[in-house]
Amino acid sequence: MNKILGIFGLLIFVCLFTTVLNDSFVGQYNLYNTTRWSALFGILSIGVAFVIITGGIDLSIGSVVGLVACLLPMLVVEQGYSPTAAVLIVMLVAAAIGLLHGLLITRLDLQPFVVTLCGLLFYRGFARWLTDDGTLGFGQDYDGLRLLAIGKPCSWATMLFGGGICLFLYGVWNLGRSRPPGDPDVDAPRRRDLDVERTISAWSIPAIGVLLAVAGSSRFWSGWESGPGTPLFEIAGYQIRSLGIEVSEHAASMPSTVMKYAGTVLFVPTLLAFLLWAWRSDAGRMKKPLALVIGSLIMLGLCVWQLVPLFRSAAADDRWQVGAMEVSGEMLKTVLMMIVFVIVGGVIGSIGWLISAAGTASGKSKALTPALVATGVMALLGQTQLAATMVPMPMLIMIALAIVASIFLNRTVYGRYLLALGRNEEAARYSGINTKRMIVVAYVLCSLAAGLGGILFALDVNSVQPSGFGNFYELYAIAAAVLGGCSLRGGEGNILGVVIGAAVMRVLYNAINILGISTKLEFAIIGMVILAGAIVDVVVKRIVAKRAVLAAEEAG
């Protein structure tokens, strides 16, 4: 949970920093494009997470994406295959690639780095030879098939409503399942505190679900306007159409309004209870982070009031004479950007420290953390146009894939086998796990995800150039998985964290473009962020380990 909150805090930091300097970041057009590309790379990241969990690596993902993206239009347009048959064929090719990787690694004891590096080179070269380096696409045809990548089946308000209902039902079903019997050795006050903590933890999930459902359903309160239906997608000649309705401007804005006010109204008492319980338990632990949060928020307010207007009004070709030094508009904007970066980073970092300190000081505050984060994020999202933005079809595909992958990894014996394999392959083998088979399964799943990503990328872009299509995609996917909590040593990983990591990578790329930073620095900035994330992860692990040792010594 701490790792997920950490990567989520990084996502909030990048979004807040970019929005403060340029509020077009939270416009509908930009939000739609960002969520679409985040979903596409999220699919690749989920696949590579299985390989990383086993302690392996797959460098061929980008080339597999390029090969599949070339094969699909070639089969459909040039060879005349039906879309369904073409999709099945390219997915079988992707599965065969993963099977080949797994067999070479397990049967010949080759290193995953060597096998997948050779795959990276071979699949790219094979795609170029197969297409004679020509550009492929679907042209103006196959619009129904392309809606699998560019379709907009619903808005985020609808997703909030559906997700809230599902979360509520899951929370109600989960009530009381993990409630342990009372411990007779615990004194009465402590037992009462434990009961309060368990009650808060149990009811937080259904309460958050109700809040999301109410915010999403607000569109229905405002009514609908009739409009023409549009094709949602087409498979094997059968076309499924979306509902023939359009939303009025007032109805579209209602979910954001409800989220803004409801989130704020619920966030304030939640925050007060969170801080009060932690202060009563250990005031000394709370003083420094609380003072830092207050100070950083004041600095952020002054920054928004004074520096941000200057940043937005300055032009790159402006010139100011400051004593003997001439200051250009570009230099001024860079300095102001760095100041805002530090201030926003201080705000997010201090809030993270405060949440960590409060959770350590009080069990009740720790139990209240999910509700605090949910209401705070809802209040922030209410300031944006996300609820009225349409959901790209790849996002729905990624969400379905993430749910299936999470269930497989955390709720099935095979997922536990993968985790055990990554932690200690020899111990897993001696315990009766067929480690070679599980490694093959991991590489097949990774290549299948790459194949699915290649299909969606090809349908989205509609112009595939085999020499460069998919280049560096494997690095984005691996970086997202590592940022999301997958250890390169294996044995550790979380699908939700991987999805958030993929979002961080795309939001970071989007921020570079929106803020006018030179695209030549794109990889340098992304590399620094990944390195910073890895350093923070190692430092936090060491701090936690030292605290555990000190706690054991005090207990002994």
Side-chain angles (χ1 to χ4, degrees), residues 318-329:
D318 289 342
R319 293 290 185 273
W320 291 275
Q321 192 69 33
V322 182
M325 183 177 66
E326 184 181 72
V327 178
S328 66

Side-chain angles (χ1 to χ4, degrees), residues 334-355:
T334 301
V335 171
L336 293 177
M337 188 185 301
M338 295 302 299
I339 294 173
V340 175
F341 181 89
V342 172
I343 293 175
V344 174
V347 170
I348 300 298
S350 60
I351 291 175
W353 185 16
L354 179 65
I355 292 176

Side-chain angles (χ1 to χ4, degrees), residues 78 110 164 169 182 290 326 343 425 439 472 503 541:
E78 296 183 6
L110 296 177
L169 294 176
L290 186 59
E326 184 181 72
I343 293 175
E425 182 178 352
I439 290 174
F472 294 109
K541 283 183 178 179

Side-chain angles (χ1 to χ4, degrees), residues 37 62-75 77-78 123-124 127-128 130-139 146 453-471 473:
W37 283 96
S63 295
V64 173
V65 168
L67 177 61
V68 169
C70 291
L71 285 175
L72 184 62
M74 178 181 292
L75 291 173
V77 178
E78 296 183 6
Y123 308 135
R124 177 71 60 192
R128 297 184 66 178
L130 192 65
T131 62
D132 197 24
D133 251 350
T135 302
L136 300 100
F138 300 92
R146 291 196 61 223
I455 292 171
L456 296 177
F457 275 112
L459 295 173
D460 181 87
V461 178
N462 197 21
S463 179
V464 180
Q465 222 297 325
S467 63
F469 196 85
N471 273 345
Y473 284 11

Side-chain angles (χ1 to χ4, degrees), residues 163-174:
I165 294 295
C166 293
L167 200 61
F168 172 76
L169 294 176
Y170 171 77
V172 170
W173 174 75
N174 202 45

Side-chain angles (χ1 to χ4, degrees), residues 203-423:
W203 283 98
S204 290
I205 294 178
I208 294 171
V210 170
L211 185 60
L212 293 176
V214 169
S217 64
S218 59
R219 170 170 290 183
F220 294 95
W221 309 344
S222 305
W224 300 84
E225 294 179 356
S226 62
T230 56
L232 187 58
F233 60 87
E234 181 179 81
I235 296 179
Y238 293 96
Q239 193 175 84
I240 298 178
R241 289 182 169 270
S242 62
L243 297 175
I245 47 181
E246 292 181 348
V247 190
S248 65
E249 184 177 349
H250 174 64
S253 63
M254 273 297 292
S256 295
T257 304
V258 172
M259 288 171 65
K260 178 170 63 177
Y261 290 108
T264 303
V265 168
L266 294 173
F267 174 74
V268 173
T270 303
L271 176 63
L272 293 176
F274 176 84
L275 294 175
L276 181 61
W277 283 333
W279 187 271
R280 285 181 175 178
S281 298
D282 192 346
R285 185 185 295 273
M286 296 295 296
K287 288 181 180 178
K288 289 183 179 179
L290 186 59
L292 186 59
V293 168
I294 295 173
S296 59
L297 286 175
I298 293 174
M299 290 294 295
L300 180 61
L302 293 174
C303 172
V304 173
W305 179 40
Q306 292 287 341
L307 300 183
V308 173
L310 181 58
F311 173 87
R312 294 179 178 178
S313 62
D317 55 352
D318 289 342
R319 293 290 185 273
W320 291 275
Q321 192 69 33
V322 182
M325 183 177 66
E326 184 181 72
V327 178
S328 66
E330 185 175 359
M331 181 186 299
L332 177 64
K333 290 174 77 72
T334 301
V335 171
L336 293 177
M337 188 185 301
M338 295 302 299
I339 294 173
V340 175
F341 181 89
V342 172
I343 293 175
V344 174
V347 170
I348 300 298
S350 60
I351 291 175
W353 185 16
L354 179 65
I355 292 176
S356 176
T360 305
S362 170
K364 290 186 286 187
S365 294
K366 184 177 182 179
L368 200 61
T369 299
L372 179 73
V373 173
T375 53
V377 170
M378 181 169 289
L380 288 175
L381 290 179
Q383 309 291 331
T384 73
Q385 301 180 36
L386 179 66
T389 304
M390 299 302 290
V391 179
M393 182 63 77
M395 178 60 70
L396 296 181
I397 296 173
M398 188 209 67
I399 290 173
L401 181 63
I403 292 173
V404 173
S406 184
I407 292 174
F408 174 81
L409 187 62
N410 300 305
R411 299 293 182 180
T412 68
V413 65
Y414 300 106
R416 296 188 180 94
Y417 285 171
L418 285 177
L419 292 168
L421 166 64
R423 293 189 183 103

